[in-house]
Amino acid sequence: MTMSPSVPDPDRPPPALLALDRWTWREIAHLLVNLPMAIAGFVYAILVIAVGVGLSVTVIGLPVLVAGLRGARLLGRVERGRARSLLGVRIEEPSPLPRGRQEGGVFPWLWSGLKDPVGWRSLLYAFVRLPWGVLTFAVTLVSLIVLWPVLPFIARGLTAADRAMVRGLLPPSDELERRIAELESDRGVVVDTAAADLRRIERDLHDGAQARLVALAMGLGLAKEKLTDDPEAAARMVDEAHGEIKVALQELRDLARGIHPAVLTDRGLDAALSAIASRCTVPVNVSVDLPGRPAEAIEGIAYFTVSELLQNVSKHSGARSASVEVWRASDRLLIKVTDDGSGGARMGGGSGMAGLAERLGAVDGLFVLDSPVGGPTAVTAELPWRDRAPAGSPAS
C-alpha cells in the first residue's frame, strides 16, 4: 500500500532533513507534550501503587488496585493514540477485559484484573516516563532556541527511543492475547451462523413440509367423510393424498440433506461430493484423495463449502464444466473448486463468498478467491485436519 508523506511507515520513517518539515514538527510536538503526560502518568502510577498496595490488607485494597490497573489501560490507549497521530507508530489495541463482575462472583473479576499484563505494563510505562519526559522537554526546548539547524536530527533520535518504549510496553500482551481476541470474534460468527441455520430450518419446515402435511390431513379428513357417500371421490382424494405424501417426504429428505446428509455420514466425502456434483447443472469432475476421514465437524464444513460453491457455479458462472479437488497436505484439508465460466466473482457480490470466508475463518480456515473477468474462476479453501474419533468415543 502506498503511504502519503504525512503518514510515514512507522518501521521506516523518512530520513531527517535540515528543513523543519511537517513530520519533524510532529516529532517536536510529541517531545514537548512528553512532560505533561509524563507528570500525569507518574502521579497516577504512584497513587495507584501507594493506595492499592497500602490498602491491600483491607477489603477495599484489591478492588482499588484492580480499578487502578484498568485505568492504566486507558492511559495506555491515550499514549498509543498519541504515538499513532504524531509518530506514525501503529500498535494494535489489546482485547478488553470484562466490564462487570464475571460469572462466579467478585473473586474471578479481581483475579482477571490483577493478572492483566496490559494493565501492569501500562502502569510501568507511566512510572518510568517522568525522567525521560523532563529530559526530552528540556532538550527540545533548548534546541528550538540555540540548536535549531540540527533540531530534526535531535528530534529523530529522541523519538526513536519513544517509539521503542511504545512498542515494548504498550502493545497487546503477546500472540496468545491477540489470538484470544480473534477467537472471540470467530465465536460470534459461529453463533450467528448457527442461529441463521436454525431460522432457515424452522422456516423451511413451516413453509414446506408442515404446510403440506396440514393440507394432507385435511384432505384425508374430507376423504373419510365421503367414503360411504361417494367412494370414487374418496378414492381420488386418497390418491391425491398419496402424491402429497411423496412430495412431503422428498421435501423432508431435502431438508435433512441440508442439515447433514446421510450419504456423508455413511460413505464419506467422496460419495457425498459426487452426489452434489450429480445435481449440478454443469458436468463436474470430482477428485478426492484423502488417507482417511477427517473429524465429523471438518467433514461437514468441507461438504457444505463445496455444496455452496457448486450452487454458485450453477447459478452465476455460465460455465460449461467444473472440477472439485480435495486432498490433505500435512495438517490441512485443502479444497479447490474451479470452473471455466465468465469469472468476475467478488467476495461482496451477493454470491455468498463472504459468508463462506467467515465460516471458514471461524474454524481457523482460509478462503481464497481468484476470479478474473473472463474466467476461469478458482476457489481454494483450507481447513485444519483433525482425525476422526474412533467409533463409540466422544468426538474431539
Side-chain angles (χ1 to χ4, degrees):
M1 179 177 66
T2 303
M3 304 185 72
S4 63
S6 62
V7 185
D9 184 346
D11 295 321
R12 298 183 60 185
L17 303 174
L18 290 176
L20 298 180
D21 57 6
R22 182 183 303 178
W23 178 237
T24 301
W25 281 115
R26 287 186 177 185
E27 291 181 327
I28 293 171
H30 184 274
L31 294 171
L32 292 177
V33 175
N34 270 351
L35 181 59
M37 292 298 297
I39 292 174
F42 183 81
V43 172
Y44 180 84
I46 291 295
L47 286 175
V48 169
I49 294 173
V51 176
V53 175
L55 295 177
S56 60
V57 295
T58 67
V59 176
I60 65 171
L62 291 181
V64 169
L65 183 58
V66 169
L69 289 171
R70 289 176 177 251
R73 273 178 161 253
L74 296 178
L75 287 178
R77 180 183 300 176
V78 171
E79 287 295 327
R80 281 189 295 272
R82 187 164 71 99
R84 183 166 50 250
S85 60
L86 296 178
L87 301 182
V89 178
R90 302 300 195 268
I91 300 294
E92 295 293 332
E93 292 293 330
S95 58
L97 290 173
R99 292 187 178 182
R101 294 183 180 181
Q102 296 176 330
E103 183 179 354
V106 68
F107 292 105
W109 178 80
L110 287 174
W111 178 242
S112 68
L114 289 173
K115 67 178 183 178
D116 175 29
V118 175
W120 283 109
R121 283 191 285 104
S122 298
L123 200 64
L124 176 63
Y125 180 88
F127 183 78
V128 302
R129 289 282 292 178
L130 182 58
W132 180 251
V134 173
L135 175 65
T136 56
F137 180 85
V139 171
T140 305
L141 194 60
V142 171
S143 299
L144 276 171
I145 300 173
V146 297
L147 297 176
W148 59 266
V150 293
L151 180 57
F153 301 95
I154 295 175
R156 174 57 48 80
L158 295 176
T159 53
D162 274 306
R163 292 187 184 91
M165 290 185 193
V166 172
R167 292 193 181 105
L169 292 176
L170 297 182
S173 59
D174 51 26
E175 186 62 31
L176 177 61
E177 205 274 343
R178 287 190 291 271
R179 182 61 178 155
I180 290 173
E182 292 176 1
L183 291 175
E184 288 176 348
S185 175
D186 292 343
R187 181 181 60 185
V189 172
V190 171
V191 171
D192 292 343
T193 300
D197 288 341
L198 287 175
R199 288 193 298 269
R200 175 182 59 81
I201 293 170
E202 180 182 10
R203 183 179 63 252
D204 291 345
L205 280 172
H206 183 270
D207 298 341
Q210 178 179 329
R212 195 173 296 278
L213 290 174
V214 169
L216 175 62
M218 295 175 60
L220 288 175
L222 293 174
K224 182 179 178 181
E225 294 177 358
K226 292 180 176 292
L227 187 60
T228 56
D229 298 335
D230 191 352
E232 292 184 0
R236 288 194 302 270
M237 297 178 71
V238 170
D239 186 61
E240 293 175 359
H242 184 256
E244 289 291 318
I245 288 176
K246 290 181 179 180
V247 176
L249 287 174
Q250 183 60 44
E251 289 182 352
L252 288 174
R253 279 194 293 267
D254 292 341
L255 181 60
R257 187 184 296 116
I259 298 172
H260 198 85
V263 65
L264 179 62
T265 302
D266 297 337
R267 300 172 57 190
L269 270 176
D270 196 352
L273 296 184
S274 297
I276 297 174
S278 67
R279 297 193 297 270
C280 189
T281 58
V282 302
V284 180
N285 179 49
V286 178
S287 174
V288 177
D289 183 14
L290 297 176
R293 296 182 64 176
E296 292 184 4
I298 299 300
E299 194 174 60
I301 294 172
Y303 172 87
F304 288 112
T305 298
V306 174
S307 177
E308 186 155 347
L309 289 174
L310 289 183
Q311 288 182 26
N312 286 336
V313 171
S314 296
K315 296 177 181 178
H316 308 295
S317 70
R320 295 185 300 274
S321 65
S323 66
V324 176
E325 300 174 72
V326 181
W327 71 99
R328 178 181 177 180
S330 185
D331 60 347
R332 307 290 284 182
L333 175 66
L334 283 85
I335 303 167
K336 187 173 184 179
V337 178
T338 59
D339 68 74
D340 59 359
S342 57
R346 295 293 179 266
M347 295 294 289
S351 59
M353 298 290 187
L356 279 177
E358 287 183 355
R359 292 191 183 192
L360 290 172
V363 293
D364 202 20
L366 295 174
F367 185 88
V368 179
L369 171 65
D370 180 19
S371 183
V373 176
T377 295
V379 177
T380 303
E382 288 189 20
L383 288 166
W385 178 278
R386 293 202 300 270
D387 291 325
R388 178 174 291 257
S393 65
S396 58

